[in-house]
Amino acid sequence: MSRIGKKPITIPKGVTVKIAGDAVEVQGPKGKMRQAVPPGIVIAQDDGALVAKLEREDAELNKFHGLARSLMANAVHGVTEGFKKELDIVGVGYRAELKGKQVVFALGYSHPIVFDIPTGIDIAVEKQTHITVTGADRQLVGQVAANI
């Protein structure tokens, strides 16, 4: 059995959790997330905490036990505090500018590079060379930062 999967996830005040079969909906001050549960894993709510349990003892399910717990913990953390990635643009004359729901980059090409900001993500540009990507979904924040 997974050591990570055994740990309970405490639910902070102001966060509501709804368990619906194959998914868990978490709602908090930073937003609302729906996280799918891997097959063979059951999420239960005990004494203000979420617990991931195996449906049956099977060596194949052990690998999903810790994964399911980590996904739920990230969802709870995301709706309470959120996730943040900071990026620096390094280069002479390189800069970024925020225009509405787009970030416009000047990276030495003959044309500006336009990046559309997906829903659920906030981007702040400080000092033209420092970009902060924030949001409730850890995977989406990391993917947007990687795309930039």
Side-chain angles (χ1 to χ4, degrees):
M1 196 179 254
S2 171
R3 281 184 262 159
I4 294 174
K6 290 180 187 177
K7 294 180 184 178
I9 304 163
T10 58
I11 301 171
K13 290 184 180 179
V15 175
T16 58
V17 177
K18 292 181 184 174
I19 301 169
D22 63 340
V24 175
E25 290 186 9
V26 184
Q27 188 170 1
K30 294 271 184 179
K32 182 178 180 180
M33 287 189 63
R34 180 177 171 87
Q35 183 61 55
V37 179
I41 305 296
V42 176
I43 303 295
Q45 199 167 357
D46 293 333
D47 300 329
L50 288 176
V51 180
K53 298 177 183 176
L54 297 173
E55 280 184 349
R56 61 189 182 283
E57 288 298 322
D58 188 3
E60 291 296 315
L61 291 181
N62 286 342
K63 59 187 171 187
F64 294 117
H65 193 206
L67 171 73
R69 191 258 178 215
S70 294
L71 291 174
M72 297 310 135
N74 287 341
V76 170
H77 181 80
V79 297
T80 55
E81 299 175 25
F83 292 99
K84 176 170 76 168
K85 293 270 188 186
E86 295 185 3
L87 306 170
D88 285 321
I89 301 173
V90 179
V92 177
Y94 291 3
R95 62 187 174 277
E97 181 182 5
L98 196 60
K99 289 187 179 177
K101 291 293 288 175
Q102 295 179 331
V103 181
V104 179
F105 294 98
L107 301 175
Y109 294 108
S110 62
H111 59 284
I113 310 289
V114 179
F115 181 80
D116 294 324
I117 302 171
T119 57
I121 296 292
D122 293 324
I123 295 181
V125 178
E126 301 137 19
K127 299 187 291 185
Q128 293 184 340
T129 59
H130 188 79
I131 300 170
T132 305
V133 181
T134 57
D137 188 356
R138 182 177 188 166
Q139 191 274 332
L140 187 58
V141 169
Q143 187 62 51
V144 168
N147 290 348
I148 289 176

